[in-house]
Amino acid sequence: MKFPGKIDDWPEDATGHHFHCMNFYNITNFTFTSSGIGTIDGAGQQWWGFPFIGYLDHGKGRPKMLYTQGGVNLLVENLLMINPPVNTFWAKEVDGLEIRNCEIDARRSDLDSHNDYDLSAFNTDGFDVTGKNVWIHDSRVWN
């Protein structure tokens, strides 16, 4: 799954804020999975902008890649999440969340190092979670 490659193509609400890539509210007994390793590409490079100053152009208006609030008994597995515009995975006030066999990759190059260039993909957090009964395991984050 790949999201729009141009900021101008990204849907907005009535106030001009960009919608998150995926939004889920108060879902129960929900599994987000892939039969192999499914890739979700947030097309984040456009939101990161020019290295070291691009964040100033888009600031806090960047969409989160996967956002859920108030969910119960959620499973997220077998996903590769790449190029998030900002926070990759944000789960707020959940009760019962398991994340397994997932990978997050937010870098500008294919190098396996944290050089200055790759670090300029600002605020592309891995897993941001609030709630209870949360278990994240067998997963990897590169940002």
Side-chain angles (χ1 to χ4, degrees), residues 109-128:
S109 73
D110 292 331
L111 299 175
D112 194 20
S113 64
H114 284 91
N115 59 46
D116 289 343
Y117 183 64
D118 281 324
L119 291 174
S120 66
F122 290 115
N123 296 98
T124 54
D125 302 4
F127 299 106
D128 293 303

Side-chain angles (χ1 to χ4, degrees), residues 31-50:
T31 298
F32 196 72
T33 189
S34 173
S35 59
I37 296 294
T39 301
I40 302 170
D41 187 342
Q45 296 90 339
Q46 66 185 324
W47 296 95
W48 305 337
F50 191 78

Side-chain angles (χ1 to χ4, degrees), residues 62-103:
R62 297 179 292 165
K64 293 170 178 52
M65 198 159 176
L66 196 154
Y67 178 83
T68 185
Q69 181 174 351
V72 177
N73 296 327
L74 311 176
L75 172 62
V76 178
E77 65 179 359
N78 303 328
L79 298 176
L80 169 61
M81 296 172 266
I82 60 173
N83 305 318
V86 68
N87 308 82
T88 306
F89 184 94
W90 188 307
K92 186 176 178 183
E93 301 168 3
V94 295
D95 183 1
L97 167 64
E98 181 178 0
I99 300 170
R100 64 183 180 210
N101 303 319
C102 289
E103 183 174 350

